[in-house]
Amino acid sequence: MSILVIAEHDNAQLNGATLKTLAAAKQIGGDIHVLVAGAGCQAVADEVAKADGVSKVLLADNAAYGHFLAENLGQLVADLGKDYGHILAPATTTGKNFMPRVAALLDVAQISDIIAVESADTFKRPIYAGNAIATVQSEDAIKVITVRATAFDAVAAEGGNGSVESIDNVVSNDKAEFVGEELAQSERPDLTAARVVISGGRGMQNGENFHLLEKVADKLGAAVGASRAAVDAGFVPNDMQVGQTGKIVAPELYIAVGISGAIQHLAGMKDSKVIVAINKDEEAPIFQVADYGLVADLFDVLPELEQKL
Amino acid sequence: MKVLVAVKRVIDYNVKVRVKADQSDVDLANVKMALNPFCEIAVEEAVRLKEKGIAEEVVVVSIGPKAVQEQLRTALALGADRAIQVETDELPDSLAVAKLLKGVMEKEQPQLVILGKQAIDSDNNQTGQMLGALTGMPQGTFASKVDVADGSVNVTREVDGGLQTVKLQLPAIVTTDLRLNEPRYASLPNIMKAKKKPLDVTTPDELGVSVTRTVKLLKVEPPAERSAGIKVADVAELVEKLQNEAKVI
């Protein structure tokens, strides 16, 4: 049976999470087709057709898909997905939004946020904020799966030779419409894809002090994240939140500054390769997962760190 | 307008779970249970809609064994008007929950259904979306702001790059994100009053829904332990270790 992967993109560029989802699809094994649904997204289809392992790209280019509304995209994927054995999408907010609709329309369960492929019907996924790893086996004829991108290495973006085929299925609805969006502007690397992440917590005391982190981030080419405490206190916007309810990151280096290390925060970063904790409380739980811990006042440490890098 | 809120009984979010020695599941014996935090936010939002005069009645529903009545009573103490328990021996999977909720909706005919975005035990993030698909209703997931006006609801959603706003025709499904509101605490008088509020019990059979699982849980393991780290004395040592030992900068 073939596998259908739903590409994540912004109508202009492919999101890196798709290449990682393709890696999961390759591990399942089978002919891989990719659906690119959007508005004015031909370039994305051409881009993903070159990715390693892609045999065919289905391009659904229509205004109805421009904002990836779950009502339209879910129905489109469910209609196309009937002919596939597996349907995969990255576990981003877009994937999490429309994929369960696909599963329900096909009357099958969904397996969320897989971190490993054991076989074509058996997968591993974290539960309880990552404090337990479940191995689950699906008996459904069609497996609807979202993939945790940080758990897979991206397939090569070049070297593949898939064909692009336009499809004219149009699903639109009059019950949901896009009104507007407010996207956070950032010059820094994307949090979920960054090689280095430096995050601040309640210990930062206020939003202005985050510039201390930004200066270090600039030296390291790092993305800046935050704990829920820092977001709730209004220091930084919520799209910077790392944790069970925010973003899941697994960079090579994660530097936690003024973060105690609550279970919900650890759920979002404990698969990082190297973890550094900077905290003045030596009893803080973050030190239990840190490879390198420094017990000191962050207001002394951050300027010194910036200088030494 | 009638608002239906689905709530789930889960392990208290402060408890560190332990995996059973035989790896069959996590150990929930004698563990403190609570209302799922996202469900608390859903109840709070419904009660606020009632306080604003937008909602006339708030009905809470939970699915599971008799113990879930405890969480339904909590929701009643927070301001819900009445409760429905769909009695099942175990907790069904998301698709079955969505089917059961659809059954409840057919009887109750709510204009707005509010759920949490995910339960902190299974971390699935599926039920609200599935309910939307089964009922053909539009969905506003990961809501951080909800405005009901003239037969529709504007939902501001937390998405990866920032915020997105969608307009949904009622009846609609909304799932809550953490920043939608700050749930209130139940006061003692309200906890006492909640004991007298109506709580009906129904069954999957009465709703005409079968709850079979198609995904088997084969094994539950603890996550790989990180090897113990070291404490460094100062910034110089930290930078040196990162450069020469970990080789990450």
Side-chain angles (χ1 to χ4, degrees):
Chain A
M1 282 290 259
S2 307
I3 303 171
L4 181 66
V5 172
I6 320 304
E8 166 112 3
H9 61 92
D10 62 0
N11 288 317
Q13 258 190 327
L14 189 67
N15 181 319
T18 305
L19 298 176
K20 295 178 176 178
T21 304
L22 285 168
K26 278 185 83 171
Q27 288 182 23
I28 291 168
D31 205 20
I32 301 173
H33 297 180
V34 178
L35 171 69
V36 175
C41 55
Q42 174 80 44
V44 178
D46 294 339
E47 190 182 346
V48 77
K50 289 190 221 125
D52 180 31
V54 174
S55 70
K56 187 158 82 173
V57 176
L58 304 172
L59 171 62
D61 199 338
N62 190 285
Y65 309 127
H67 298 290
F68 316 109
L69 290 178
E71 293 76 6
N72 300 347
L73 196 50
Q75 186 69 53
L76 171 72
V77 175
D79 291 346
L80 293 171
K82 288 189 181 78
D83 303 327
Y84 291 86
H86 295 79
I87 307 174
L88 272 63
T92 55
T93 51
T94 307
K96 288 173 180 170
N97 192 31
F98 76 85
M99 282 292 265
R101 273 188 98 101
V102 173
L105 290 170
L106 295 170
D107 197 26
V108 299
Q110 177 185 291
I111 304 177
S112 294
D113 232 358
I114 63 161
I115 56 168
V117 175
E118 299 287 289
S119 71
D121 66 359
T122 306
F123 309 92
K124 287 192 183 220
R125 59 177 303 264
I127 52 177
Y128 292 90
N131 288 301
I133 307 297
T135 305
V136 295
Q137 185 175 33
S138 168
E139 292 164 357
D140 285 315
I142 304 174
K143 278 99 179 149
V144 175
I145 296 166
T146 60
V147 177
R148 178 171 292 193
T150 54
F152 294 89
D153 292 325
V155 300
E158 298 283 339
N161 188 22
S163 58
V164 178
E165 187 181 301
S166 281
I167 53 170
D168 48 15
N169 311 35
V170 178
V171 181
S172 69
N173 79 95
D174 50 13
K175 292 180 177 170
E177 60 178 290
F178 172 83
V179 176
E181 62 191 356
E182 242 179 89
L183 299 180
Q185 298 299 323
S186 176
E187 309 271 298
R188 277 173 228 291
D190 181 45
L191 198 51
T192 52
R195 204 185 66 82
V196 181
V197 173
I198 180 162
S199 289
R202 199 193 300 274
M204 296 303 295
Q205 294 184 3
N206 61 49
E208 267 159 39
N209 288 335
F210 265 72
H211 79 263
L212 296 170
L213 290 183
E214 286 163 12
K215 283 183 182 165
V216 177
D218 287 341
K219 287 273 174 80
L220 292 167
V224 180
S227 70
R228 185 183 163 194
V231 173
D232 280 352
F235 298 173
V236 289
N238 63 272
D239 56 297
M240 285 172 64
Q241 184 183 326
V242 172
Q244 184 183 17
T245 62
K247 297 201 167 88
I248 313 280
V249 302
E252 285 185 32
L253 173 61
Y254 187 89
I255 307 176
V257 184
I259 292 176
S260 65
I263 294 173
Q264 292 76 18
H265 185 73
L266 300 184
M269 46 62 79
K270 68 185 167 62
D271 292 322
S272 305
K273 194 167 151 238
V274 175
I275 297 173
V276 170
I278 298 169
N279 204 302
K280 62 181 174 188
D281 174 14
E282 66 178 308
E283 301 296 318
I286 191 78
F287 287 119
Q288 288 161 23
V289 300
D291 299 282
Y292 302 105
L294 176 55
V295 181
D297 189 333
L298 65 94
F299 293 103
D300 300 331
V301 171
L302 287 174
E304 197 183 338
L305 185 59
E306 186 211 339
Q307 205 182 30
K308 287 218 160 57
L309 287 170
Chain B
M1 181 170 95
K2 188 193 277 188
V3 180
L4 184 72
V5 182
V7 299
K8 186 175 184 185
R9 173 184 169 88
V10 297
I11 190 167
D12 185 275
Y13 73 97
N14 283 311
V15 175
K16 188 151 169 45
V17 296
R18 276 202 317 272
V19 172
K20 285 185 189 169
D22 65 359
Q23 299 199 329
S24 60
D25 206 340
V26 299
D27 191 357
L28 293 181
N30 303 317
V31 167
K32 188 181 172 205
M33 302 295 279
L35 201 53
N36 179 45
F38 292 99
C39 302
E40 254 183 327
I41 295 169
V43 172
E44 176 67 31
E45 195 64 18
V47 171
R48 287 187 191 188
L49 287 172
K50 194 181 169 196
E51 286 168 348
K52 283 186 210 155
I54 295 168
E56 281 108 44
E57 190 183 29
V58 175
V59 182
V60 284
V61 55
S62 192
I63 293 159
K66 191 152 197 253
V68 306
Q69 290 191 7
E70 196 186 319
Q71 276 62 47
L72 286 170
R73 291 291 173 200
T74 304
L76 292 170
L78 293 171
D81 297 297
R82 58 189 175 85
I84 300 168
Q85 179 207 357
V86 181
E87 177 126 28
T88 60
D89 295 338
E90 290 169 44
L91 296 177
D93 68 10
S94 306
L95 185 61
V97 168
K99 288 178 179 174
L100 291 167
L101 291 176
K102 184 189 175 208
V104 172
M105 283 169 69
E106 277 161 6
K107 293 198 170 154
E108 295 288 333
Q109 297 289 324
Q111 284 294 96
L112 188 64
V113 182
I114 314 182
L115 305 89
K117 82 163 176 183
Q118 74 191 65
I120 60 162
D121 50 1
S122 54
D123 279 334
N124 273 327
N125 196 332
Q126 300 173 357
T127 305
Q129 296 90 315
M130 287 179 160
L131 187 58
L134 296 177
T135 58
M137 288 179 192
Q139 68 185 45
T141 51
F142 328 142
S144 62
K145 193 159 169 261
V146 173
D147 276 323
V148 181
D150 302 330
S152 67
V153 55
N154 270 21
V155 180
T156 301
R157 309 177 50 235
E158 302 210 355
V159 296
D160 282 335
L163 299 170
Q164 182 197 64
T165 304
V166 290
K167 183 179 181 181
L168 313 174
Q169 262 175 41
L170 296 177
I173 315 279
V174 167
T175 75
T176 63
D177 216 320
L178 274 177
R179 266 159 296 276
L180 180 58
N181 60 47
E182 190 144 331
R184 70 194 66 189
Y185 291 96
S187 66
L188 190 58
N190 284 344
I191 292 170
M192 300 311 289
K193 274 187 226 155
K195 291 184 180 172
K196 296 201 181 72
K197 288 186 179 174
L199 192 161
D200 295 323
V201 180
T202 184
T203 62
D205 279 349
E206 280 175 12
L207 297 170
V209 176
S210 90
V211 288
T212 47
R213 259 181 196 277
T214 54
V215 175
K216 279 189 298 192
L217 184 62
L218 299 184
K219 191 166 69 170
V220 175
E221 305 157 273
E225 291 271 333
R226 292 188 74 93
S227 51
I230 55 160
K231 293 250 170 77
V232 294
D234 53 31
V235 174
E237 189 187 346
L238 177 63
V239 172
E240 192 272 321
K241 294 273 189 204
L242 290 177
Q243 276 167 345
N244 301 325
E245 197 174 279
K247 297 188 170 49
V248 285
I249 55 172

